[in-house]
Amino acid sequence: MRKQKAEAVGLIVRQFLREEGLETPYNEYRLIEAWPEVMGPGISRHTAALQIRNRVLFVRLTSSVIRSELMMARSLLVRRLNEHIGAQVIEKIVLT
């Protein structure tokens, strides 16, 4: 028996996540997991903790020098991280 209307598995999974209210938490998880890849090993090595609350990414860094550098590029970082995920996951970054 041949199925007449075939759909891509990725589309079905995304639709399921959206319907179950899991799309946002999944995208937040993906963004946190993507931090080392997007930021590189130098910054990742000095990242102590990442957390997303209310569309704000909280980043705890162990280096005040890196924190100062990233403070100036926060809007660029938001854009790069969201583009990497392919969704508007965060609106702001808070560095501590």
Side-chain angles (χ1 to χ4, degrees):
M1 184 169 176
R2 188 162 222 222
K3 190 171 182 174
Q4 301 244 347
K5 189 177 176 185
E7 293 184 45
V9 173
L11 250 165
I12 294 169
V13 170
R14 276 194 298 271
Q15 182 180 358
F16 171 77
L17 290 173
R18 188 173 298 123
E19 288 172 0
E20 296 299 317
L22 299 172
E23 184 177 36
T24 299
Y26 177 64
N27 283 337
E28 290 174 351
Y29 168 80
R30 288 178 51 221
L31 188 135
I32 288 172
E33 289 296 308
W35 177 264
E37 183 181 338
V38 173
M39 301 308 296
I43 292 174
S44 294
R45 190 174 25 252
H46 295 286
T47 302
L50 295 166
Q51 181 181 25
I52 299 175
R53 283 181 291 170
N54 300 325
R55 299 178 62 90
V56 177
L57 175 62
F58 294 87
V59 181
R60 190 163 35 117
L61 297 164
T62 59
S63 168
S64 60
V65 174
I66 291 176
R67 184 181 318 112
S68 297
E69 297 248 347
L70 294 180
M71 287 289 249
M72 294 181 279
R74 284 184 295 188
S75 59
L76 175 64
L77 295 177
V78 168
R79 194 169 347 126
R80 283 180 59 199
L81 287 163
N82 284 329
E83 284 174 359
H84 186 82
I85 299 305
Q88 186 69 28
V89 180
I90 59 172
E91 296 173 345
K92 181 178 171 183
I93 295 180
V94 174
L95 303 166
T96 59

